[in-house]
Amino acid sequence: MYAFKIALVFILLLSGCSDQKQLSPVENKTEAHLWKLVTAWPPNLPVNHEVTEEFAKDIELMSNGKLKVKVFNAGELIPGLQVFDAVSQGAVQMGFAASYYWSGKIPASQIFTVVPFGMTEKGSLAWIKFGGGLKLWRELYEPFGVIPYPMGSTGVQMGGWFNKKINSMEDIQGLKMRIPGLGGKVIAKAGGNPILLSAAEVYTALERGTIDATEWVGPLHDKRFGLDRIAKYYYYPGWHEPGPQMEMIINQKAWDQLSEPLKKIVEASIAKSGLTLSTKNEAENARALQQIIDEGKVELVRFPDNVLSNLKKMNLQVLEEEAAKDEGFRKVLKSYQDFQKLYSSYEAVTNKAYDESRDIESK
Amino acid sequence: MYAFKIALVFILLLSGCSDQKQLSPVENKTEAHLWKLVTAWPPNLPVNHEVTEEFAKDIELMSNGKLKVKVFNAGELIPGLQVFDAVSQGAVQMGFAASYYWSGKIPASQIFTVVPFGMTEKGSLAWIKFGGGLKLWRELYEPFGVIPYPMGSTGVQMGGWFNKKINSMEDIQGLKMRIPGLGGKVIAKAGGNPILLSAAEVYTALERGTIDATEWVGPLHDKRFGLDRIAKYYYYPGWHEPGPQMEMIINQKAWDQLSEPLKKIVEASIAKSGLTLSTKNEAENARALQQIIDEGKVELVRFPDNVLSNLKKMNLQVLEEEAAKDEGFRKVLKSYQDFQKLYSSYEAVTNKAYDESRDIESK
């Protein structure tokens, strides 16, 4: 009887300890998670690489090691263009990429990254977060068991590297240019020849004249890639990618296994790293452009008005054609364009009018 | 003896539970923190209010309640303009405000918020985070035991609400305008009469004609404040505040008591809430401006070129005068202007050239 009482005391005390632990999910050893994060970029891609490492470290520290994220860059575990499938199938828990890579599977995904002649980062993020964009994005990814988040931008891009001058639309006839996505479709409509090349092929193709032109990212990434050594003209503005949003995707089942504190830690880290990515790109792009100008080997050229005007018209045709082909694209484009219309009235009297005011000569 | 053994078992079991808990600092009850956060704004100020509440909730959730932040808006615990002193003295642990409120104490603090005709949010944040700004900011606040962080922007502001037209610099002569800070000094140099009024006084002063004009924040805040009901003209662009940065400040001693995970949780929450603040302001400002336009009671007017040109010239004089008076101001302004020069070359061929390209007529 006494032994029974002691046993009971043991059981109660032990279950007491155990219960106490269950009250605090973070302390429960069974709640430790080891996640794999795959990226769509080669290792050591500037900014993206540091930001991804920071992201993983932040999460491990904030969660007291309850959620560890191991980063694999493109090719280390799977090829960069298989990130979405790997996350969807649960082979990995997270992927860091850009949504337009999955346009073959989900045509509308392109719109969440960027639209030619569309909104820049601030407007596009305002649409995503407070204009209905994110809701549509989540709906489109739901059948694949994937949750998307915007995570920073590379900024308004440059127009690309050219080895021939573009004075009129005739100069685009037959132009062989590495330019993917909607921008590529516009170039095709203009009579050009958009070519898809992997990162590894671009430099050699431009150097050997296999292509006449290529767009890449912006001054920082372009210079690291050596494009300023093999092209004559650096065109602007980047009408085709005015501030692409990067994307963090998470496997739904893995997400469901996280406690609420861990979910919030992941979301806060996405915001922090996204902000770092956008801001660091701005600072480093400004420095890299200055170096390119100082070295004086490349001529900075603005696309002529008549070319921009025609590309803009053709872009509207491309968007209409894509919308006609796919219901998801149509629905997302409508939401995007409605917001863009509202936002552009505001931009005209704030961001744009202000930028112009700084250029007025002091008397 | 038997009783002793049972007591021992109790003690061992209890200390067993206890030891296990001490292994994980986050679970140690002595590490629970209750912080007070004071803001410089009245309760229910749109966006700022929601973001501050989100910030406090995020931290409590992510830290499993180890760090609780209780929010007090201006006047609830201390007046809004005493936020810096309260944080510095340790009366509270955190403050959410704008650094230019402390320009009487630290003249250079204005530059971290915004500079007339200076950089907009992206450029100013790039300077702060990756151009040396934050280091200078921390150095200036260190003697006060205060650590600063940037935390979101209200965007490029409007020029303000006027009840008389500004066609030339003569119209600024004697103009009674509520406009604080460096912008106010520029208006004074132009022969105007900058007036400092608290939030509570602005509406009545403009309605009764005690002042001829007032700047406030942007369409969202201005409309909530009712300024569209009592002014004839809504001028743009907001040359005086092109994207002010909000500021989160933390008491150094309180900060030193946080574990590394808690520090990172606070930093990530600042980034997340700052991004929300900036993005939500963009979306809501666009909507509010559209409402103001639709209601048709107010005329939207752009400042004439000659006025902007003269204000720009006078602003440079004001900045030089401030720099001559204070070493800290001189040092921070030099860093800011060097970065602005670099950044503006980049902006010219990216953000600005792109904005312009969208206005070219389609043919």
Side-chain angles (χ1 to χ4, degrees), chain A residues 289-315:
Chain A
L289 181 71
Q290 193 57 53
Q291 285 171 10
I292 290 169
I293 292 169
D294 289 347
E295 285 161 12
K297 282 181 250 160
V298 171
E299 192 182 336
L300 268 182
V301 200
R302 181 179 172 281
F303 286 118
D305 278 9
N306 75 78
V307 169
L308 289 169
S309 159
N310 275 291
L311 292 175
K312 197 162 71 162
K313 191 176 67 183
M314 289 168 183
N315 176 58

Side-chain angles (χ1 to χ4, degrees), chain A residues 99-100 108-121 124 127-128 153 155 157 182-183 238-245 319 336, chain B residues 354:
Chain A
S99 59
Y100 62 1
S109 68
Q110 298 170 89
I111 300 170
F112 302 106
T113 307
V114 74
V115 174
F117 292 103
M119 292 183 279
T120 56
E121 186 193 6
S124 121
W127 168 65
I128 289 170
S153 171
Q157 297 199 354
L182 293 167
W239 58 272
H240 64 300
E241 293 201 19
Q245 277 293 330
L319 293 178
Y336 181 94
Chain B
Y354 176 71

Side-chain angles (χ1 to χ4, degrees), chain A residues 221-234:
Chain A
H221 291 82
D222 295 2
K223 198 172 190 320
R224 292 274 178 98
F225 212 43
L227 296 172
D228 57 322
R229 294 198 303 266
I230 49 168
K232 287 184 198 160
Y233 311 111
Y234 199 12

